[in-house]
Amino acid sequence: MSDIDVLRDRMDEVTLKIIELLNTRTDIAKEIGQVKKNMGKGIADEAREDSLRASVITLCNNIGLDEAIATRFLNLLLNESIKVQQTNKQTHLSIFAKAKSLESQGKKIIHMEVGEPNFMPPDIVKKALGEVFEKGFLKYGQATGMPAFRQTLAGHTSERFNVDIKPDNILVSPGARFSIYAAITTLLNPGDEMIVIEPAWPAYKDCALNSGIKVRTISTTLENRWEPTLAQINALINPNTKMLVLNYPNNPTGKILNQTLQDDIITLARKASLYILSDEIYCQYAKTSPKSVLCYDYEKSIVTQSFSKSHAMTGFRIGYTIADCKIIEKMAKLQALCLTNVSEPMQYVAMKALKADISSNTNTVQDRLDVLTRKANEIGLDFVIPDGAMYLFARVNQEGFDGVRFANSALERGLAVAPGEGFGDYGNFVRISASQDENTLIEGMNILRDMVSDNQ
Ligand code: PMP
């Protein structure tokens, strides 16, 4: 046998051994998953992962292996463990699906689980829908979006945030959800790390997990008014860290960061050369206008926006990304691959919707949040008054309170709320959405009050 054949045989042997070990590791992960379930413990355990990461680094130092390769490999293993342990987590969407099914059987449900405004899109949208045919928006279009729409969005964004945004900095997407997926999967590689500050909208984590990207989470607390510290973020940054996700006004807490903290976070991310994915779809719903990440003029920032909430156009599936043109190009390639282009009739309609005055939506949502806040105070729930968005994230102070059980029994009483567990390790919280008119919200909160007092 030649030298290369001998080496290749050894290489095969080692590779097969690694696969066998992977099988053993996966079996152990499944068993651990079962034990965690029996103990009522969550799946991710950052402290445990940290200690394993430290052991891997020590081993790398001892045997002379590149730490970056080893930790990226470890990240893939950790993600696999999470995947095999993941049971059907109950989120706002699973409660929504159950609520819909109960409705189809004739049950009346008050929807306070999803962030879907119950008011109508602006009137101009109806007219624009009628114009689509005669204007000829009926054919394939550009993956990045209709030129006229990108131009309008660039102008609108520049004016709104006092920045200089060009059409090349805009990517029209079928909802901010796809913008987020495209940003995470095209800018990061398997084994890379992304920091998410919890509680958080679940899709950031799910998009990353789906693409082999490791999520490092920071759990913020109600006691600290949902603020992360710089030290917490700093402690997670290593050479594999590539992105920090921000979402203010936040879903589910409604929090807006104080500006000094936000400035410091951006400085830190810039120093570590991280992408900043700033999901700003709730910026229309805020007591005081939050500072957009666009204002920092950082070339690695990606800002997402949507018509879903601001214009009550959830079903139209229209959102957009604002970023450096090189980032837009990368994301557009994925969009071309997956979608060809976003439906042009919907782009046309959204372009027209931008002309509408939507300030009354902001007031409506704020009034509704005030109603929720008042009712939650009466019930004695623990929460931080939201600065914006359209939710109240509240803790029910009862021994052994379980948000999932609560959300399921609330359905039987005709109320849908989202269990806190969907947003991180917040099993004793529920998220209440301000998406109904005030009287309906009061009706829903009364059901919640009765349930809480029945549980005492
Ligand atoms: N980001 C956040 C924080 C959200 O809450 C949602 C939807 N609930 C989205 C993005 C997705 O919005 P879209 O409908 O534009 O896909």
Side-chain angles (χ1 to χ4, degrees):
M1 258 214 280
S2 66
D3 283 355
I4 187 157
D5 289 335
V6 173
L7 286 171
R8 279 180 172 162
D9 278 354
R10 273 182 60 205
M11 174 76 96
D12 290 356
E13 209 178 297
V14 171
T15 308
L16 294 176
K17 196 145 256 149
I18 292 173
I19 302 297
E20 264 180 39
L21 286 172
L22 178 62
N23 186 33
T24 311
R25 194 182 189 284
T26 308
D27 286 345
I28 298 172
K30 282 183 193 154
E31 274 185 57
I32 293 178
Q34 198 51 50
V35 176
K36 280 183 187 164
K37 200 171 163 197
N38 297 342
M39 290 166 73
K41 257 176 89 81
I43 293 169
D45 185 338
E46 294 272 336
R48 165 73 203 129
E49 288 184 2
D50 277 348
S51 107
L52 182 55
R53 191 172 284 110
S55 307
V56 167
I57 293 172
T58 309
L59 178 65
C60 287
N61 290 336
N62 291 341
I63 62 179
L65 178 67
D66 180 2
E67 182 184 313
I69 296 177
T71 48
R72 290 168 68 83
F73 184 60
L74 173 68
N75 282 342
L76 297 177
L77 295 177
L78 294 174
N79 261 2
E80 284 312 307
S81 303
I82 290 175
K83 276 190 196 161
V84 295
Q85 290 180 9
Q86 211 163 40
T87 43
N88 281 339
K89 198 171 58 172
Q90 297 241 27
T91 65
H92 59 293
L93 290 180
S94 48
I95 295 295
F96 178 65
K98 282 188 190 171
K100 283 282 176 198
S101 142
L102 286 171
E103 274 176 332
S104 67
Q105 293 158 34
K107 190 160 174 69
K108 179 182 167 247
I109 303 280
I110 300 178
H111 285 279
M112 288 162 67
E113 80 285 35
V114 279
E116 179 155 57
N118 75 330
F119 39 82
M120 293 296 274
D123 282 347
I124 199 168
V125 166
K126 202 169 172 186
K127 185 165 167 277
L129 273 171
E131 288 166 7
V132 158
F133 228 84
E134 66 192 65
K135 297 262 178 194
F137 293 112
L138 308 166
K139 303 288 181 194
Y140 286 136
Q142 295 179 17
T144 43
M146 268 166 34
F149 188 30
R150 291 174 84 202
Q151 177 92 44
T152 311
L153 287 171
H156 171 83
T157 309
S158 301
E159 193 178 319
R160 172 141 200 222
F161 300 110
N162 196 20
V163 287
D164 183 19
I165 300 296
K166 302 273 186 275
D168 280 357
N169 302 121
I170 303 279
L171 175 71
V172 179
S173 64
R177 184 182 275 273
F178 195 79
S179 307
I180 289 157
Y181 175 75
I184 293 173
T185 55
T186 59
L187 301 175
L188 273 55
N189 291 311
D192 282 349
E193 295 181 20
M194 173 180 117
I195 300 175
V196 173
I197 301 164
E198 288 189 333
W201 186 53
Y204 309 125
K205 232 175 171 166
D206 291 342
C207 285
L209 190 62
N210 193 50
S211 333
I213 290 146
K214 177 77 191 116
V215 173
R216 309 289 306 274
T217 50
I218 292 170
S219 285
T220 61
T221 61
L222 186 145
E223 285 65 29
N224 288 330
R225 307 189 62 76
W226 304 120
E227 279 182 8
T229 64
L230 282 182
Q232 278 177 310
I233 301 176
N234 215 1
L236 294 189
I237 298 178
N238 66 52
N240 292 329
T241 317
K242 298 289 154 56
M243 182 180 272
L244 168 68
V245 180
L246 300 178
N247 168 224
Y248 300 102
N250 177 263
N251 173 7
T253 63
K255 173 86 187 167
I256 296 177
L257 289 184
N258 81 59
Q259 202 173 307
T260 319
L261 178 59
Q262 179 167 308
D263 291 350
D264 290 345
I265 291 176
I266 306 293
T267 306
L268 180 64
R270 204 193 274 263
K271 227 162 86 193
S273 190
L274 306 185
Y275 287 110
I276 300 175
L277 174 59
S278 182
D279 184 6
E280 301 182 6
I281 73 158
Y282 292 104
C283 69
Q284 175 73 24
Y285 296 140
K287 278 186 205 157
T288 51
S289 245
K291 181 173 174 182
S292 170
V293 165
L294 293 173
C295 301
Y296 296 88
D297 196 21
Y298 176 42
E299 71 282 3
K300 293 185 85 173
S301 66
I302 304 106
V303 170
T304 51
Q305 286 288 358
S306 169
F307 286 77
S308 289
K309 319 288 173 173
S310 57
H311 292 72
M313 288 170 67
T314 44
F316 290 71
R317 310 306 306 126
I318 286 279
Y320 54 105
T321 307
I322 309 148
D324 185 85
C325 53
K326 289 199 205 78
I327 294 178
I328 296 293
E329 268 170 36
K330 281 192 191 169
M331 291 172 64
K333 276 191 189 146
L334 180 72
Q335 199 150 280
L337 177 72
C338 300
L339 314 165
T340 306
N341 66 281
V342 178
S343 155
E344 289 218 337
M346 294 304 124
Q347 293 191 64
Y348 174 73
V349 166
M351 185 167 76
K352 292 290 172 191
L354 270 186
K355 292 199 169 118
D357 176 6
I358 48 168
S359 53
S360 66
N361 292 357
T362 310
N363 297 336
T364 304
V365 169
Q366 191 52 53
D367 290 347
R368 290 174 176 187
L369 281 176
D370 290 346
V371 169
L372 286 185
T373 304
R374 180 167 51 80
K375 293 298 288 182
N377 268 328
E378 279 170 27
I379 301 170
L381 304 178
D382 284 341
F383 60 96
V384 175
I385 297 174
D387 302 313
M390 43 196 297
Y391 311 102
L392 192 79
F393 197 53
R395 183 169 57 200
V396 180
N397 260 334
Q398 281 176 351
E399 185 72 16
F401 177 85
D402 175 352
V404 170
R405 220 178 316 130
F406 187 85
N408 281 289
S409 32
L411 280 178
E412 285 162 28
R413 302 217 197 175
L415 170 68
V417 288
E421 154 179 308
F423 307 93
D425 200 4
Y426 301 92
N428 50 352
F429 281 77
V430 286
R431 188 194 71 175
I432 306 161
S433 172
S435 45
Q436 303 297 328
D437 59 55
E438 293 182 22
N439 286 337
T440 313
L441 289 180
I442 291 172
E443 202 187 324
M445 289 303 274
N446 286 344
I447 297 177
L448 200 141
R449 176 199 60 205
D450 294 346
M451 287 185 64
V452 169
S453 63
D454 286 358
N455 270 351
Q456 267 163 356

